[in-house]
Amino acid sequence: MRILVINPNTTTAMTDQIVAAACRVAAPDVEVVGTTVEMGPAAIESYIDESFAAVEVVRAIACEPRFDGYVIACTNDPGLYAARELVSAPVVGIGEASLLQATLLAPTFAVLTTLARAEQQVWQQLRAYGLAQRCVWVGATGVGVLETASSEASVADAMVTAGRIAVEQHHAEAIALGCAGMADVVRALRDALDVPVIDGVGAAVSLVDGLVRCSHRTSKVRTFAPPVEVHYRGVPRPFGGDDER
Amino acid sequence: MRILVINPNTTTAMTDQIVAAACRVAAPDVEVVGTTVEMGPAAIESYIDESFAAVEVVRAIACEPRFDGYVIACTNDPGLYAARELVSAPVVGIGEASLLQATLLAPTFAVLTTLARAEQQVWQQLRAYGLAQRCVWVGATGVGVLETASSEASVADAMVTAGRIAVEQHHAEAIALGCAGMADVVRALRDALDVPVIDGVGAAVSLVDGLVRCSHRTSKVRTFAPPVEVHYRGVPRPFGGDDER
Amino acid sequence: MRILVINPNTTTAMTDQIVAAACRVAAPDVEVVGTTVEMGPAAIESYIDESFAAVEVVRAIACEPRFDGYVIACTNDPGLYAARELVSAPVVGIGEASLLQATLLAPTFAVLTTLARAEQQVWQQLRAYGLAQRCVWVGATGVGVLETASSEASVADAMVTAGRIAVEQHHAEAIALGCAGMADVVRALRDALDVPVIDGVGAAVSLVDGLVRCSHRTSKVRTFAPPVEVHYRGVPRPFGGDDER
Amino acid sequence: MRILVINPNTTTAMTDQIVAAACRVAAPDVEVVGTTVEMGPAAIESYIDESFAAVEVVRAIACEPRFDGYVIACTNDPGLYAARELVSAPVVGIGEASLLQATLLAPTFAVLTTLARAEQQVWQQLRAYGLAQRCVWVGATGVGVLETASSEASVADAMVTAGRIAVEQHHAEAIALGCAGMADVVRALRDALDVPVIDGVGAAVSLVDGLVRCSHRTSKVRTFAPPVEVHYRGVPRPFGGDDER
Amino acid sequence: MRILVINPNTTTAMTDQIVAAACRVAAPDVEVVGTTVEMGPAAIESYIDESFAAVEVVRAIACEPRFDGYVIACTNDPGLYAARELVSAPVVGIGEASLLQATLLAPTFAVLTTLARAEQQVWQQLRAYGLAQRCVWVGATGVGVLETASSEASVADAMVTAGRIAVEQHHAEAIALGCAGMADVVRALRDALDVPVIDGVGAAVSLVDGLVRCSHRTSKVRTFAPPVEVHYRGVPRPFGGDDER
Amino acid sequence: MRILVINPNTTTAMTDQIVAAACRVAAPDVEVVGTTVEMGPAAIESYIDESFAAVEVVRAIACEPRFDGYVIACTNDPGLYAARELVSAPVVGIGEASLLQATLLAPTFAVLTTLARAEQQVWQQLRAYGLAQRCVWVGATGVGVLETASSEASVADAMVTAGRIAVEQHHAEAIALGCAGMADVVRALRDALDVPVIDGVGAAVSLVDGLVRCSHRTSKVRTFAPPVEVHYRGVPRPFGGDDER
C-alpha cells in the first residue's frame, strides 16, 4: 500500500518531520511518500493562508492521482472535500483524524492549538464533524506553527503548560494536537500529563491504512462526485484525464 | 457609502446580473460597484471550484481595500473568513445573508440549490452558522449555475417545481435561494408560491448597508485579526501595505 | 419608507432615547416614528412585565397598521410572533437583531444584560433563534433597565467591567447589548474593549430597512397566518378591519 | 393538597372538561379546583390569543396565591414562567407535562395539535424544553380548539387519522396530545393505535402532585425570583401583598 | 397502587434508606415495597459495576412482574430499557426522574455526584435524555456511594461545599442529587443553599405514581416490544411466562 | 500485534464469520484471535439480551487481559465502557467503528439494522457518539441477527432493498452495517448500490490496529480509571490481579 502525505505549507523541513511521524506508525507493508506543495505560505496561520494552501493541495493530488490513499497534513484539513471530489482513493485530514482517534480513547478531550486566532477555527471543525460535545476545551499555546515545529524545549514547556490546564482545570481525559508540527512533543506531553496524546499525522496515516485494507473508496454518488466540467479562466483546470472520474 | 460586490466566478454576464440585483435594493445614498475575479472557474459547482474562487476573492478585495463594505456574491460564501481577516470593513456572503433574512420572515425555510451535489454543502453552512434547526429542506433543481443564471423559462419552471415541494411537502414557510444567478426568478417564485423568496444578493447588500450605518467593523481581536506575516513561496503575499491592519 | 419603533415599556424618556438611536443609523429616505405603549410596566425586568408588555405591543401595532416596517424595542422581543401574525410588513425585535448582526462581525459574542434574573431569558432566546453555539457568555451588570437608560457614568463603568470579563475571560469577540437603554454606552464600550458593540435598536432598524428594500413581507402561509376569528370576552379583539389579512 | 387548574381561555364548558380530566387522575387526598380566566379569547389558536391569555393566567394566580400547586391548562403553557415568578408553589403547564410523561413511556413520540399554524409553536416548545430529539412528528388535525373540545365523533376520527400517520409513517411510539380539549378522545386513540396516549391535563396534575409531595418549591434564586418592583401605568401591578415573595 | 423499588446494589442497609425516602413522598393509597438484588456489587461506582447490576435489575423485575409500577433506585438507571421490555407497567429510573423534576422547578440545574469518575456518566445520561442544555454543572463530591449513604456529618459538609460551587460559581438554580444514598442530606442542602434539591428516589416514586394514575403503560410497539425468543446458554432466559407480553 | 475479537453472543458459527471478516482486513503483522462468550443469548436482539452480553464481554476480557487490543463484535457495543475500565489496551466496538469510518467516506450515511426494535437503539448510539447529524436514516430489514448471519440469498435481497431506500429516498451516500453478521453481504450491497458499505468488524479491527501502532492506551485519569474495589456478592469480582490497574 502506498500513501501520499501532503504538507500543505511550503516548508520542506516540516515535510520531513511529518513523514518521519508517519513512518513511525506505518504498518510494514505500507510505503509512505511525502510531498510538499509548490507554492503558497510557509505556515498556515490564517484563513488566508488556508485558502491558498487548499488550492495547492488539490494541485498536489491532481499530479499524483495513483496512490492508494492520501493524508492532508495540516490540522485545518485544507482542501479536504475538494480532494475527495478529485480522487476515489480515501483522503483523510489530520485534523479530523486526531479528533476521531481521541473519541476512542476517552470520553472527553481537549485540542491544543498554536495561536489564539486558531481556536475558533478548531471549534468550527468540531461542529462540522459533529464532535463538539466531546471537546471540553480548545487552548492555544501562543506559539506559531514554525516555531512549534522547531522542537525547542520552550515549545514543549508551553505545550505542557497548556496541557495541564486542559487536564486539571477542564478535566480533559485526552489531548488532540492541533498542528502537524507537534508530533515531536507527544512523548513529553504523555510523560507529563499521563493521558493519551494524539498526533494527527499518525492518526491520519492509520485511518487511511484501515480504509484501504477494508477496500473502501470515497463515495461518489452526490457530494463528492467528480466535478462537472467548468471552464477555468487564466489557470489550468485542476482535473482532467483521471480515468477514475 | 460604497459597497463592492464581488462575483467569485469569471462569468462577467453573471456579474452584471448580480450588480443589477444589488442596485434594485440599494438605498439612494449607496453606490454599488461590481467586480469579477480575474481567474478561475466560470461557475462554482464543486468544492474544487470553490477552493480556486476563495483565493481570487481574497485577491479581489486586496486590490480594492478602501470600500465601506463587501459582498461575496456566491452562495457558498467562498473566502468569507479570509476576507474578514483582510479588511476591517464589513464583509457579508450571500449564503449567510439569505439564511439570516429568512429567519426574520418565517419560522422555517427551505433552501433551493442547483445540482444535487450542492445539497450537503448547504447543510454544512447551516450547521456552521447555527441555523440548521430552522431549515426544513434543502432541494436541488438539477439545473447548473450558468443555466440557472440564463433566465430561461425552463429554469423558472424547475425552480417553481422545487419550491412547491418545499412548501407543500416540507411545510417551508419561506424560500432562500441558493445561487447568485437565481435573482431573476424571485418574482416568478413569489407569484407561484405566495411565501417570501429571498435572494442572497439583495439580502447581503442590505445587511452590509446596515452594518456600515451602525458604524460596525469586523472584530479584530482574535479570529479575524490581521494575519501574522508568513513567507509566501511562488506567489505574492495577498496582504501588504493596508494600513488598517 | 416609514418605520414604527415601539417602546414596550411606558417610560417615554426611554422612547426618546430609542428613537434617537434609531435615527442615528437610519438611511436618508427612512422616516423613523417612535411610539410608547399606553399601559403596563415602566421597565421590563421580569417575565410578568414581559407578559403585560407583549399585549401592549400587539395593541400598538394594531393601532398603526400602515407602516412599512416595525421594530419592537425591548431585548426580550415581547409580542414578536404575535406582531408577525397581525401585520404583513416586516417586524424585527431588537433582541434577535443584535444577535444576528453580531454573527456577521465575529465568530463568537457575549450578551450583556441588566439583572442576573435576565440571563436565562437571553439563553432561551439564543436557543430559540438557533444561535446559542455562537454565544460564549451572557453576563449581567446588576444594573436595572431604567438605571441603565439613565446614562450615568456608573452605568458605563459597570458595563465596561462586564465587557472586560466577556472579552478577557470568555474570549468574546463581539458584544451584543441586551437592553434598549444601553445605546448611549456603545461608544464607551467600543473605546474600552476594541471589539464590535452592537446596539439592538440600530441593528433592528437596519434589518427592517433591508427587508423593506428587498420587498419582503412576513410569511403568511402557516405559522404567522392571520389569526382565525375567536371571540374575546371583556376586551376588544386586537385585530379587525386590517384588509391585509 | 389543593391544586388550582386554570383554563386560560374564557370557555367555561372547556374548564368543566379539564377539571373532569384532572379529577380522574387525582390521588384521593388531592382537591382539584378549576378556574376560568375572566377576560380574553374563547380559544387560544394564535400567538395573539396566547399573549392575552398569559396576562390573564398571571391575574388568576395572583388572585389565588394560596394553593399548593398550579396547572396551566393550555398546551402553549401561556404565562408559565411569569407564574413561576409570582408564587413559590409549583406551577406546571400541560404542554411541558405531556412531553415529559411521554419520555418515560417511549423512546420517541409525536404531538398531535389542532391547526397547522400551531405546529411550529410546538417545535419551539420542544426546543425550549430540550426534548426536540425525542419527537419524530408534530401533526395538525386541522380541527380548531373549540371543535376539538366538542367531543364529536368526527373529531375522534380526525385524531385517529393523524395518530395513524404518526405511528405508521413516522414510527412514533407514543402520542402526546397538544390541546387541553383532547382529553375525551384518549380512549379512542389508545384503542385504535395501541400506543400510550398522553393527555396534558392528567400529566400536569400528577406532576404537580409529585412536586408537592416531595416538598418542592420553585427556585427563587435568580430567574424566577420575585419581580423587582416596577411602576405599572394604567393597570394594577399584578403582584403585591403576597408575603412569600 | 403497589410500587416496587429495586435497589440495584446488594447493600440492604441502603435499601432501607431508599424505601424510607420513597415512603416519605408516597400518596396514602400507595404501597411501596423495597427489594435488593441478590447478587453483584455492594455499590455501583463503575461501568463494570453497572453492567452487573443491570442484569440483576432485570432478574428482580422478572421475579416480581405483577406490580403496578417499578423504580430503579440507582442514579445510573441500570437496566432501565431492558426493564421496559420486560414488563408493561411503568418503570422509572431515579436518574432520569431527578432530572425531569429539576426542569419543572428551575431553568438550570446542577447534578452532584459521588466520585469524579461518574461525572461523564451523568453527561451521557443528560445527552441521552435530551436535557444537557438545562444542566450547568456536574460536580463530584469525591465521596463514594456507601460513604455517602452513611449519613455522616462530613458527607453533608462535602455536599454543601459542592452545592455552593454549583449555585455560586455555575449559577445553578436547582440541585439534582446523583446518588440514591443522598436522600438524607436533602434538608441540609436546602437549608444551606436555598434552592430546590431533588432526590431521585422521591422523584421516581412520584413519577411512577402519576403514570399509574393516568393509566399509562410502557409503549410496546417497537423499541420496548417484548423480546423475541432467543436461546440463552448457561443461564435461564430472563423472561418467560409473563402473560402480559 | 495481537487483537482479541469477542463475539458477545454464544453462537460460535457467528464467531467464525466474524474472525474471517477480521482476518480479511488485518495487516500482515497482526494476529487476530476470536473468542465467544461462555454464557448468555445466542443473538442480541433486545436490551435484555444486551445486558447479559455486556457482563460476559467483561468476563471474556478479564480472562484474556494481555492482548494488544480488543474488538467487541456486536453493533450495540455491549460492555464497551466497562471494558475500557478493565484494561489499558484499546477497546473498540464495531458499532462506533462503522460510524467513524463512514464519516471519512461520505458526508452522510444510513445505518441498516436487523429488526425494527433496534432502530432507536442505533439513534441512541449516534447521539451518544455525537454523530447523529451525519446520519440520514436508520432502517431495519426485518431480518433477525441469526438469520442475517446465515448468508442466504433472501437476506442479501432484503438488505439491498433497504439499501436502495437509504440511497434513493434518503440520499445516504454511504451505508454502515448494523450487525456483526452482515459482513458477508458487503459485496452484494456495494455492487447493487455503488456507495461505500462499511462492515463494523473490519472497521473496528483497523481502528484498533491504528491505535496500537500509534502506541495509544485508553485514558485512565477519570472516567475509565480502574474501578474502585467494591465487594461483589454471589459472584466473583470481575477484576483482580491485573497489574496494569
Side-chain angles (χ1 to χ4, degrees):
Chain A
M1 185 192 320
R2 298 178 71 236
I3 298 177
L4 184 68
V5 178
I6 303 144
N7 177 10
N9 73 36
T10 50
T11 303
T12 53
M14 220 169 134
T15 311
D16 296 343
Q17 274 185 307
I18 290 166
V19 170
C23 288
R24 277 199 292 274
V25 308
D29 57 342
V30 172
E31 180 190 359
V32 172
V33 176
T35 191
T36 313
V37 296
E38 288 197 6
M39 294 193 294
I44 298 173
E45 303 277 20
S46 66
Y47 288 105
I48 293 176
D49 299 337
E50 186 186 331
S51 300
F52 278 77
V55 169
E56 297 307 308
V57 166
V58 172
R59 284 207 180 103
I61 295 179
C63 292
E64 296 283 2
R66 304 285 172 204
F67 275 79
D68 295 302
Y70 298 86
V71 168
I72 301 175
C74 167
T75 203
N76 298 11
D77 298 343
L80 177 61
Y81 297 150
R84 285 187 179 145
E85 288 175 334
L86 193 64
V87 287
S88 298
V91 187
V92 173
I94 68 169
E96 63 180 352
S98 62
L99 304 176
L100 289 187
Q101 268 200 343
T103 69
L104 297 172
L105 296 165
T108 65
F109 57 84
V111 180
L112 298 193
T113 185
T114 50
L115 303 181
R117 64 183 305 130
E119 288 175 14
Q120 287 303 314
Q121 192 268 353
V122 175
W123 281 112
Q124 287 161 353
Q125 285 183 295
L126 285 160
R127 282 191 210 109
Y129 302 151
L131 297 169
Q133 73 182 41
R134 303 288 286 269
C135 182
V136 292
W137 192 56
V138 176
T141 60
V143 181
V145 169
L146 294 183
E147 199 181 346
T148 295
S150 72
S151 309
E152 289 176 22
S154 62
V155 174
D157 288 351
M159 294 195 64
V160 168
T161 300
R164 276 199 213 288
I165 295 172
V167 172
E168 291 168 13
Q169 293 180 28
H170 299 278
H171 296 174
E173 302 189 21
I175 302 283
L177 298 180
C179 177
M182 290 174 173
D184 289 354
V185 297
V186 166
R187 179 172 299 271
L189 277 167
R190 278 187 193 158
D191 288 350
L193 303 174
D194 205 23
V195 298
V197 177
I198 298 122
D199 167 50
V201 175
V205 167
S206 71
L207 287 172
V208 167
D209 171 290
L211 293 169
V212 173
R213 287 189 206 278
C214 294
S215 307
H216 289 311
R217 319 218 11 100
T218 295
S219 181
K220 291 287 170 180
V221 285
R222 296 174 71 93
T223 305
F224 298 135
V228 293
E229 300 239 337
V230 167
H231 175 72
Y232 269 62
R233 176 178 165 161
V235 280
R237 284 216 343 268
F239 39 86
D242 183 352
D243 56 9
E244 285 211 278
R245 283 177 294 102
Chain B
M1 186 192 319
R2 297 177 71 236
I3 298 176
L4 185 67
V5 179
I6 302 144
N7 176 10
N9 74 37
T10 50
T11 303
T12 53
M14 222 169 130
T15 312
D16 296 343
Q17 275 185 305
I18 289 166
V19 171
C23 289
R24 277 198 292 274
V25 307
D29 57 342
V30 173
E31 181 189 358
V32 171
V33 176
T35 191
T36 313
V37 296
E38 287 197 7
M39 293 194 296
I44 298 172
E45 304 276 19
S46 66
Y47 288 104
I48 293 176
D49 300 336
E50 186 185 331
S51 300
F52 278 77
V55 170
E56 297 307 309
V57 166
V58 173
R59 285 206 180 103
I61 295 178
C63 293
E64 297 282 2
R66 304 285 172 203
F67 275 79
D68 295 301
Y70 298 85
V71 168
I72 301 175
C74 167
T75 202
N76 297 11
D77 298 343
L80 177 61
Y81 298 149
R84 285 186 179 147
E85 289 175 333
L86 193 64
V87 288
S88 298
V91 187
V92 174
I94 68 169
E96 63 180 353
S98 62
L99 304 176
L100 289 188
Q101 268 201 343
T103 68
L104 297 172
L105 296 165
T108 65
F109 57 83
V111 180
L112 298 194
T113 184
T114 51
L115 303 181
R117 64 182 307 131
E119 288 175 12
Q120 287 303 314
Q121 192 270 352
V122 175
W123 281 112
Q124 288 162 351
Q125 285 184 295
L126 285 161
R127 282 191 211 109
Y129 303 151
L131 298 170
Q133 74 182 39
R134 303 288 287 270
C135 182
V136 291
W137 192 57
V138 176
T141 60
V143 181
V145 170
L146 295 183
E147 199 182 345
T148 295
S150 71
S151 310
E152 289 176 23
S154 63
V155 174
D157 289 351
M159 294 195 64
V160 168
T161 299
R164 275 198 212 291
I165 294 171
V167 172
E168 291 168 12
Q169 293 178 28
H170 299 279
H171 296 174
E173 303 189 21
I175 302 283
L177 298 180
C179 177
M182 288 175 174
D184 291 353
V185 298
V186 166
R187 179 170 298 273
L189 276 168
R190 278 187 191 158
D191 289 349
L193 302 175
D194 205 22
V195 297
V197 177
I198 298 123
D199 167 51
V201 175
V205 167
S206 70
L207 287 171
V208 167
D209 171 290
L211 293 169
V212 173
R213 287 188 205 280
C214 294
S215 307
H216 288 312
R217 325 233 345 115
T218 295
S219 181
K220 290 288 169 180
V221 286
R222 295 174 72 91
T223 306
F224 299 134
V228 294
E229 300 240 336
V230 168
H231 175 72
Y232 268 62
R233 176 178 165 161
V235 281
R237 283 213 349 263
F239 38 87
D242 184 350
D243 56 9
E244 287 212 276
R245 282 177 293 106
Chain C
M1 185 193 319
R2 298 178 71 237
I3 297 176
L4 185 67
V5 178
I6 303 144
N7 177 10
N9 74 36
T10 49
T11 304
T12 53
M14 218 168 136
T15 312
D16 296 343
Q17 273 184 306
I18 289 166
V19 171
C23 289
R24 278 199 291 276
V25 307
D29 57 342
V30 173
E31 181 188 358
V32 171
V33 176
T35 191
T36 313
V37 296
E38 288 198 4
M39 294 194 296
I44 299 173
E45 303 276 20
S46 66
Y47 288 105
I48 293 176
D49 299 336
E50 185 185 331
S51 299
F52 277 78
V55 169
E56 296 308 307
V57 166
V58 172
R59 285 208 180 102
I61 296 179
C63 293
E64 296 283 0
R66 305 283 173 204
F67 276 79
D68 295 302
Y70 297 85
V71 167
I72 300 175
C74 166
T75 202
N76 298 11
D77 299 343
L80 177 61
Y81 297 150
R84 286 188 178 144
E85 288 176 334
L86 192 64
V87 287
S88 298
V91 187
V92 173
I94 68 168
E96 62 179 354
S98 63
L99 305 176
L100 288 188
Q101 268 200 343
T103 68
L104 297 172
L105 296 165
T108 65
F109 57 84
V111 180
L112 297 194
T113 186
T114 50
L115 303 181
R117 65 183 306 129
E119 288 176 13
Q120 286 303 314
Q121 192 268 353
V122 175
W123 280 111
Q124 287 161 353
Q125 285 184 295
L126 285 161
R127 282 192 210 109
Y129 303 152
L131 297 170
Q133 72 182 41
R134 303 288 286 270
C135 182
V136 291
W137 192 57
V138 176
T141 60
V143 182
V145 169
L146 294 183
E147 198 180 347
T148 295
S150 71
S151 309
E152 289 175 22
S154 63
V155 174
D157 288 350
M159 294 196 64
V160 168
T161 300
R164 276 199 213 289
I165 295 171
V167 172
E168 291 168 13
Q169 292 179 29
H170 299 278
H171 295 173
E173 303 190 20
I175 302 284
L177 298 180
C179 178
M182 289 175 174
D184 290 353
V185 297
V186 166
R187 180 171 300 271
L189 276 168
R190 277 186 193 159
D191 288 349
L193 302 175
D194 205 21
V195 297
V197 177
I198 298 123
D199 167 51
V201 176
V205 167
S206 70
L207 287 172
V208 167
D209 171 291
L211 293 170
V212 173
R213 288 189 205 280
C214 294
S215 307
H216 288 311
R217 328 247 322 130
T218 294
S219 181
K220 290 289 169 180
V221 285
R222 295 174 72 91
T223 305
F224 299 134
V228 293
E229 301 240 336
V230 168
H231 174 73
Y232 268 62
R233 176 178 165 159
V235 280
R237 280 210 355 260
F239 39 86
D242 184 351
D243 57 9
E244 285 211 279
R245 281 178 294 103
Chain D
M1 185 192 321
R2 298 178 71 237
I3 298 176
L4 184 67
V5 178
I6 302 143
N7 176 11
N9 74 37
T10 50
T11 303
T12 53
M14 220 166 135
T15 312
D16 296 343
Q17 273 184 306
I18 288 166
V19 170
C23 290
R24 277 198 293 273
V25 307
D29 57 342
V30 173
E31 180 189 357
V32 171
V33 177
T35 191
T36 313
V37 296
E38 288 198 6
M39 292 194 295
I44 299 173
E45 303 277 19
S46 65
Y47 288 104
I48 293 175
D49 299 336
E50 186 186 330
S51 300
F52 279 77
V55 170
E56 297 307 309
V57 166
V58 172
R59 286 208 179 102
I61 295 178
C63 292
E64 296 283 3
R66 304 284 172 205
F67 276 79
D68 295 301
Y70 297 85
V71 168
I72 301 176
C74 166
T75 202
N76 297 11
D77 298 343
L80 177 61
Y81 298 149
R84 287 188 178 144
E85 288 175 334
L86 193 63
V87 288
S88 297
V91 187
V92 174
I94 68 168
E96 62 181 353
S98 62
L99 304 177
L100 288 188
Q101 268 199 345
T103 69
L104 297 172
L105 297 165
T108 66
F109 58 83
V111 180
L112 298 194
T113 186
T114 50
L115 303 182
R117 65 182 307 130
E119 288 175 13
Q120 286 304 313
Q121 193 269 352
V122 175
W123 281 111
Q124 288 162 353
Q125 285 183 296
L126 286 161
R127 282 192 210 109
Y129 303 151
L131 297 170
Q133 74 182 38
R134 302 288 287 269
C135 181
V136 292
W137 192 57
V138 176
T141 60
V143 182
V145 169
L146 295 183
E147 197 180 348
T148 295
S150 72
S151 309
E152 289 176 23
S154 63
V155 174
D157 288 351
M159 294 196 65
V160 169
T161 300
R164 276 199 212 289
I165 294 172
V167 173
E168 291 168 12
Q169 291 178 30
H170 299 279
H171 296 173
E173 303 189 21
I175 301 283
L177 298 180
C179 178
M182 288 175 174
D184 290 354
V185 297
V186 165
R187 180 172 298 273
L189 276 168
R190 278 187 192 159
D191 289 349
L193 302 175
D194 204 21
V195 297
V197 176
I198 298 124
D199 167 50
V201 175
V205 167
S206 70
L207 288 171
V208 167
D209 171 290
L211 293 169
V212 173
R213 288 189 205 280
C214 294
S215 307
H216 288 311
R217 316 211 25 93
T218 294
S219 182
K220 291 287 169 180
V221 285
R222 296 174 72 91
T223 305
F224 299 135
V228 293
E229 299 241 336
V230 168
H231 175 73
Y232 268 62
R233 176 178 166 162
V235 281
R237 280 212 353 262
F239 38 87
D242 183 352
D243 57 9
E244 286 213 276
R245 282 176 294 104
Chain E
M1 187 191 321
R2 297 178 72 237
I3 298 176
L4 184 67
V5 178
I6 303 143
N7 176 11
N9 74 37
T10 50
T11 303
T12 54
M14 219 168 136
T15 312
D16 296 342
Q17 274 184 305
I18 289 166
V19 170
C23 290
R24 278 198 291 274
V25 306
D29 57 342
V30 173
E31 180 189 0
V32 172
V33 178
T35 192
T36 312
V37 296
E38 289 198 5
M39 294 193 295
I44 298 173
E45 303 276 20
S46 66
Y47 289 104
I48 293 176
D49 299 336
E50 185 186 331
S51 299
F52 279 77
V55 169
E56 296 308 309
V57 166
V58 172
R59 284 208 180 102
I61 296 179
C63 293
E64 296 284 3
R66 305 283 173 206
F67 276 80
D68 296 301
Y70 297 85
V71 168
I72 301 175
C74 166
T75 203
N76 298 12
D77 299 342
L80 177 61
Y81 298 149
R84 286 188 179 145
E85 289 175 333
L86 193 63
V87 287
S88 298
V91 186
V92 174
I94 68 168
E96 63 180 353
S98 63
L99 304 176
L100 289 188
Q101 268 200 343
T103 68
L104 297 171
L105 296 165
T108 65
F109 57 84
V111 180
L112 298 194
T113 185
T114 50
L115 303 181
R117 64 182 307 129
E119 289 176 13
Q120 287 303 314
Q121 193 269 352
V122 176
W123 281 111
Q124 287 161 353
Q125 285 183 295
L126 285 161
R127 282 190 210 109
Y129 303 151
L131 298 170
Q133 72 182 41
R134 303 289 286 270
C135 182
V136 292
W137 192 56
V138 176
T141 60
V143 181
V145 169
L146 294 183
E147 199 182 345
T148 294
S150 72
S151 310
E152 289 176 22
S154 63
V155 174
D157 289 351
M159 294 196 65
V160 168
T161 301
R164 277 200 212 289
I165 295 172
V167 172
E168 291 167 13
Q169 292 178 29
H170 299 279
H171 297 173
E173 303 189 20
I175 302 283
L177 298 180
C179 178
M182 289 175 172
D184 290 353
V185 296
V186 166
R187 179 170 298 273
L189 276 168
R190 277 186 192 159
D191 289 349
L193 302 175
D194 204 22
V195 298
V197 177
I198 298 123
D199 166 51
V201 175
V205 167
S206 70
L207 287 172
V208 167
D209 171 291
L211 293 169
V212 173
R213 288 190 204 278
C214 294
S215 307
H216 288 311
R217 320 222 5 103
T218 294
S219 181
K220 290 288 171 181
V221 286
R222 297 173 71 91
T223 304
F224 299 134
V228 293
E229 300 239 337
V230 168
H231 175 72
Y232 269 61
R233 176 179 164 159
V235 280
R237 280 211 353 260
F239 39 85
D242 183 352
D243 57 9
E244 285 212 276
R245 282 175 293 104
Chain F
M1 186 192 319
R2 297 177 72 235
I3 298 176
L4 185 67
V5 178
I6 302 143
N7 177 11
N9 74 36
T10 50
T11 303
T12 53
M14 220 168 133
T15 312
D16 296 342
Q17 273 184 307
I18 289 165
V19 171
C23 290
R24 277 198 292 274
V25 308
D29 57 341
V30 173
E31 180 189 358
V32 171
V33 177
T35 191
T36 312
V37 296
E38 287 197 7
M39 293 194 297
I44 299 172
E45 303 277 19
S46 66
Y47 288 104
I48 293 176
D49 299 337
E50 186 186 331
S51 300
F52 278 77
V55 169
E56 296 308 308
V57 166
V58 172
R59 285 205 180 104
I61 295 178
C63 293
E64 296 283 1
R66 304 285 174 206
F67 276 79
D68 296 300
Y70 298 85
V71 168
I72 301 175
C74 166
T75 204
N76 297 12
D77 298 343
L80 177 61
Y81 297 150
R84 286 187 179 146
E85 288 176 333
L86 193 63
V87 286
S88 298
V91 186
V92 174
I94 68 169
E96 63 180 353
S98 62
L99 304 175
L100 289 189
Q101 268 201 344
T103 69
L104 298 172
L105 297 164
T108 65
F109 58 83
V111 180
L112 298 194
T113 184
T114 50
L115 303 181
R117 64 183 305 130
E119 288 175 14
Q120 287 303 314
Q121 192 269 354
V122 176
W123 281 112
Q124 288 161 352
Q125 285 183 294
L126 285 161
R127 281 190 210 110
Y129 303 151
L131 297 170
Q133 72 182 39
R134 302 290 286 269
C135 182
V136 292
W137 192 57
V138 176
T141 60
V143 182
V145 168
L146 294 182
E147 197 180 348
T148 295
S150 71
S151 310
E152 288 176 23
S154 63
V155 174
D157 288 351
M159 294 197 64
V160 168
T161 299
R164 276 198 213 290
I165 295 171
V167 173
E168 291 168 12
Q169 292 179 28
H170 298 279
H171 296 174
E173 304 189 21
I175 302 283
L177 298 179
C179 177
M182 289 175 173
D184 290 354
V185 296
V186 166
R187 180 172 298 273
L189 276 168
R190 278 187 192 158
D191 289 349
L193 301 175
D194 205 22
V195 297
V197 177
I198 297 121
D199 167 51
V201 176
V205 168
S206 70
L207 287 171
V208 167
D209 171 291
L211 293 169
V212 173
R213 288 188 204 280
C214 294
S215 307
H216 289 312
R217 307 190 60 72
T218 294
S219 182
K220 290 288 169 180
V221 285
R222 295 174 73 92
T223 305
F224 299 135
V228 293
E229 300 240 337
V230 168
H231 175 72
Y232 269 62
R233 176 177 165 162
V235 280
R237 283 216 346 266
F239 38 87
D242 183 351
D243 56 9
E244 286 212 277
R245 282 176 293 103

